[in-house]
Amino acid sequence: MNSNYFDNENRLIPHGVMFHHFHHEGDRPYAQGSITSEQFQKIIEFIGPKNILPANTWLEKAINKELREKEICITLDDSLKCQMEIAYPVLQKFGISAFWFVFSSVFKGQANRLEIYRYFYNIYFPNFDEFYEVFKKYFLMSSINYLYDDNINLFLKSDYLKEFVHYSEKEREYRFYRDKILNRKEFENLMDGILDDYGVDINTIAKDLWMNDHDLRKLSSNDHIIGLHSFSHPTNIAQLDINKQQQEYMKNKEHILSVTSKEPITVSHPCCSYNNSTLEILDHLGIKIGFRSNFQKPNHSLMEFPRVDHSHLLLELN
Ligand SMILES: [Zn+2]
């Protein structure tokens, strides 16, 4: 392999590498971009373990503005059980501690529908585009079907989520409507209608998807860092009023503090969504550093460190 992870000038900038889904070898991945234990190891070796700082060291250097070129950290978003089962043992083997950005509602028995939907379309359809045909059909048959036509040109002209190289055009379109056009209720009504018609039970799927408090304590006591990722993982938190944003992060902080007995001081912005009010709220909650999910903001603040999605690294490996 001749290519060097740091060939791209961007990547000299200190940043996080972002991970979400993992699956066991031979199992069907329930998310696009999902990787196995072996692929995770290969990615770590590709970056070079010496370039990956322990989470606490990276954090301290970030706060003190002492991070140097090529200093990387590993981050895992969304409180997923598969991270604990597959990524955690690999990190322990390499002696690498990471940032884990958890949203709290799923620890309180409130299933996160987005994750359930993801599971549904990956398991019930041969590929994303076939699912999207069904979604679009339900959308166009609904009482809000005008929102499709009204906004399709806006999407076609946008670069929405093009940085996620593993998303197909249809998946970007789906996420555009989900995150930018429909409100949560409109989107969930559409999806719940589809799940109903396919005879899918949300609670059965929800059982095995997320970590529990015991997992968080285990991570925290092994020098991993638990950070904020909101309470219920809105896809567009910047659109919420200030009180709702504050509730999202306060409840998230209370949960993490009560379980780990450590004040969280880091955040990753869910779906990279935030505005000035969000940053003020986070500042008041004592948050010192934050992460975006891309490199699209040069000269960033401490609350906006860049991250690269692991799928970019996987491409270079192949
Ligand atoms: Zn997330």
Side-chain angles (χ1 to χ4, degrees), residues 3 15 23-24 39 72 101 122 127 211 214 277 317:
S3 153
H15 64 273
H23 61 277
H24 291 288
Q39 287 172 309
I72 305 290
F101 295 108
N122 279 290
N127 56 56
M211 296 181 194
H214 172 76
S277 310
L317 276 174

Side-chain angles (χ1 to χ4, degrees), residues 20 22-24 27 30 35-37 40 76 79-91 100 207-212 215 218-219:
H20 283 93
F22 296 84
H23 61 277
H24 291 288
D27 277 2
Y30 74 93
I35 55 171
T36 62
S37 164
F40 187 43
L76 302 102
S79 344
L80 296 164
K81 191 74 176 178
C82 60
Q83 298 169 347
M84 207 57 209
E85 285 179 356
I86 296 163
Y88 179 70
V90 175
L91 291 169
W100 302 68
K207 238 176 34 233
D208 302 319
L209 285 188
W210 289 286
M211 296 181 194
N212 54 36
D215 295 324
K218 184 165 165 185
L219 289 170

Side-chain angles (χ1 to χ4, degrees), residues 158-212:
S158 77
D159 284 335
Y160 192 59
L161 297 180
K162 277 208 172 136
E163 69 272 23
F164 288 89
V165 286
H166 58 283
Y167 293 165
S168 69
E169 169 94 5
K170 295 293 176 207
E171 179 147 19
R172 292 199 304 107
E173 186 176 311
Y174 166 76
R175 284 168 180 264
F176 175 79
Y177 282 106
R178 184 192 77 185
D179 301 347
K180 297 288 170 192
I181 306 299
L182 303 176
N183 66 35
R184 195 159 189 159
K185 200 164 176 1
E186 290 167 339
F187 174 73
E188 290 186 357
N189 281 342
L190 281 179
M191 286 300 297
D192 287 353
I194 301 174
L195 264 67
D196 261 0
D197 290 349
Y198 277 77
V200 173
D201 177 39
I202 288 182
N203 294 327
T204 310
I205 298 179
K207 238 176 34 233
D208 302 319
L209 285 188
W210 289 286
M211 296 181 194
N212 54 36

Side-chain angles (χ1 to χ4, degrees), residues 20 77-78 229 233 270-271:
H20 283 93
D77 285 13
D78 293 350
H229 199 50
H233 205 295
C271 302

Side-chain angles (χ1 to χ4, degrees), residues 18-21 30-31 75-84 99-107 112 114-115 118 167 175 178 209-211 216 227-235 268-272 307:
M18 178 169 65
F19 293 90
H20 283 93
H21 297 89
Y30 74 93
T75 74
L76 302 102
D77 285 13
D78 293 350
S79 344
L80 296 164
K81 191 74 176 178
C82 60
Q83 298 169 347
M84 207 57 209
F99 292 92
W100 302 68
F101 295 108
V102 307
F103 70 103
S104 299
S105 57
V106 290
F107 293 81
N112 176 274
L114 287 194
E115 200 58 47
R118 192 197 323 275
Y167 293 165
R175 284 168 180 264
R178 184 192 77 185
L209 285 188
W210 289 286
M211 296 181 194
L216 290 190
L228 303 187
H229 199 50
S230 80
F231 183 77
S232 70
H233 205 295
T235 48
S268 85
H269 305 287
C271 302
C272 209
R307 289 189 294 175

Side-chain angles (χ1 to χ4, degrees), residues 14 29 32 35 42 163 193 256 295 313:
Q32 275 158 307
I35 55 171
K42 280 188 176 156
E163 69 272 23
I256 294 172
F295 269 82
L313 283 70

